[in-house]
Amino acid sequence: MNRASLYEKKRRPWELFSLAAIYGASYLSLFLLLGMIGYVFFRGFPVLSPSFFTSVTSYLKGTRGIGGNLVNTLYIIFLTLLTAVPAGVGAGVYLNEYAGRGRTVRLIEFAVQILAGIPSVIFGLFGMVFFGNVLGLGYSLLSGSLTLSLMVLPLIVRNTQTALRAVPESYRQGALGMGAGRWYLIRTILLPAARPGILTGILLAVGRIMGESAALLFTAGSAGMLPGPGRNVGESLGKLIRKIFASGGTLTVELYLQMQNGEYGMAFGIGCVLILFTFLINFLLKLICRSPGERE
């Protein structure tokens, strides 16, 4: 049958309705996204300025800025990934390459799925009681990052497993047939081949860390002060390290507080920054997921 005749075939009414519904939903999603981004930037763009990114909000000094919240957000992202990435990638490698398919493995995977579905506010309550009270960390960036590590751990584990399962079985058979050990196979062949999928999971985890506020309100607090400069390099490094054990509010926490205080322009300005970060994360995902031929 001629290929052109397949496209010229008369469609039934229900097919036309389904096609119209699909296109309508697609364009509606696009218009909603553009409308939301446009409205946020319309309300928040006038607030953006160099001082907005470098200063902190002080009603005594009459300044408004998110410099401290930006630093706190970077702290939270770094500390969370420092804990969650080794544990998540290691757990994914173990479950996929070492553990087999026994009852214990199925129980662990079920627990990981349950952990991924727990509301963030429950993680916040647990982090406040365990990390804040039992371990004595109180309201601190370290307490908040440890809590978020538990939240993003299932995401990294599942993405690592999926990436490893996507590696062709011939890679394993060829390496083992040449006498390579299992750890050598994982380190030199499987992990490099699965790297795009693993990095995708890590970037998705970064997006969830940046968008979290409920759990951090219970664990990290809301302070937005910048660490002061020291008289020398050693003193400055000491202040940066001590900042980990101090309270600190991220961008999303500050946005919530500004909305509560009726500072809508400030809140929309923070929303612009978060949208820009979201675009950056998606751009990095596109670069990672491109095939080798597309990168050339």
Side-chain angles (χ1 to χ4, degrees):
M1 183 181 294
N2 190 357
R3 182 179 176 85
S5 63
L6 293 176
Y7 293 97
E8 296 172 358
K9 180 181 176 181
K10 184 177 180 181
R11 292 189 175 94
R12 298 183 178 87
W14 67 269
E15 292 178 338
L16 294 174
F17 174 78
S18 300
L19 190 63
I22 292 172
Y23 277 103
S26 302
Y27 285 115
L28 178 62
S29 301
L30 178 62
F31 290 146
L32 288 175
L33 175 64
L34 294 177
M36 181 180 65
I37 294 175
Y39 181 75
V40 171
F41 271 86
F42 175 76
R43 295 287 303 272
F45 189 78
V47 181
L48 302 182
S49 65
S51 62
F52 181 76
F53 292 96
T54 57
S55 61
V56 297
T57 300
S58 174
Y59 294 102
L60 296 177
K61 298 180 180 179
T63 59
R64 300 199 307 174
I66 59 171
N69 303 109
L70 275 173
V71 173
N72 293 334
T73 302
L74 295 177
Y75 263 108
I76 288 288
I77 292 174
F78 175 76
L79 294 173
T80 302
L81 295 183
L82 188 66
T83 307
V85 170
V89 174
V93 170
Y94 172 77
L95 291 174
N96 200 73
E97 302 298 328
Y98 286 99
R101 301 303 301 170
R103 181 179 300 177
T104 304
V105 175
R106 291 196 298 270
L107 181 62
I108 294 175
E109 290 180 344
F110 177 74
V112 170
Q113 293 175 359
I114 295 297
L115 195 65
I118 295 177
S120 60
V121 67
I122 304 299
F123 281 102
L125 290 173
F126 172 80
M128 180 182 66
V129 173
F130 183 72
F131 298 120
N133 297 335
V134 176
L135 298 185
L137 297 177
Y139 285 97
S140 64
L141 294 174
L142 182 58
S143 179
S145 64
L146 291 175
T147 303
L148 292 187
S149 297
L150 299 178
M151 291 183 57
V152 302
L153 188 62
L155 180 62
I156 298 177
V157 172
R158 296 302 295 174
N159 274 274
T160 301
Q161 285 186 280
T162 303
L164 289 172
R165 288 171 183 170
V167 177
E169 190 64 27
S170 59
Y171 287 20
R172 296 177 175 85
Q173 295 174 357
L176 294 175
M178 295 176 64
R182 186 176 291 271
W183 171 239
Y184 184 83
L185 163 66
I186 293 171
R187 180 170 53 88
T188 61
I189 297 177
L190 297 185
L191 286 180
R195 181 170 51 194
I198 296 174
L199 291 178
T200 298
I202 293 174
L203 286 176
L204 290 175
V206 171
R208 184 169 185 185
I209 293 168
M210 288 188 53
E212 185 53 48
S213 59
L216 293 176
L217 280 171
F218 288 103
T219 54
S222 59
M225 301 304 296
L226 282 167
R231 289 172 294 183
N232 50 55
V233 177
E235 186 176 347
S236 299
L237 289 176
K239 288 187 176 183
L240 290 176
I241 294 174
R242 288 194 295 272
K243 175 72 174 174
I244 297 173
F245 302 96
S247 173
T250 60
L251 289 172
T252 50
V253 172
E254 183 66 16
L255 188 152
Y256 168 75
L257 295 177
Q258 293 296 334
M259 288 295 292
Q260 269 198 332
N261 296 331
E263 298 287 344
Y264 299 116
M266 186 81 171
F268 278 106
I270 299 174
C272 293
V273 177
L274 290 173
I275 289 176
L276 291 176
F277 271 116
T278 303
F279 281 141
L280 177 62
I281 292 174
N282 281 274
F283 176 73
L284 292 176
L285 281 175
K286 290 290 186 182
L287 289 181
I288 292 173
C289 295
R290 287 170 63 186
S291 63
E294 293 175 337
R295 297 176 188 176
E296 295 178 355

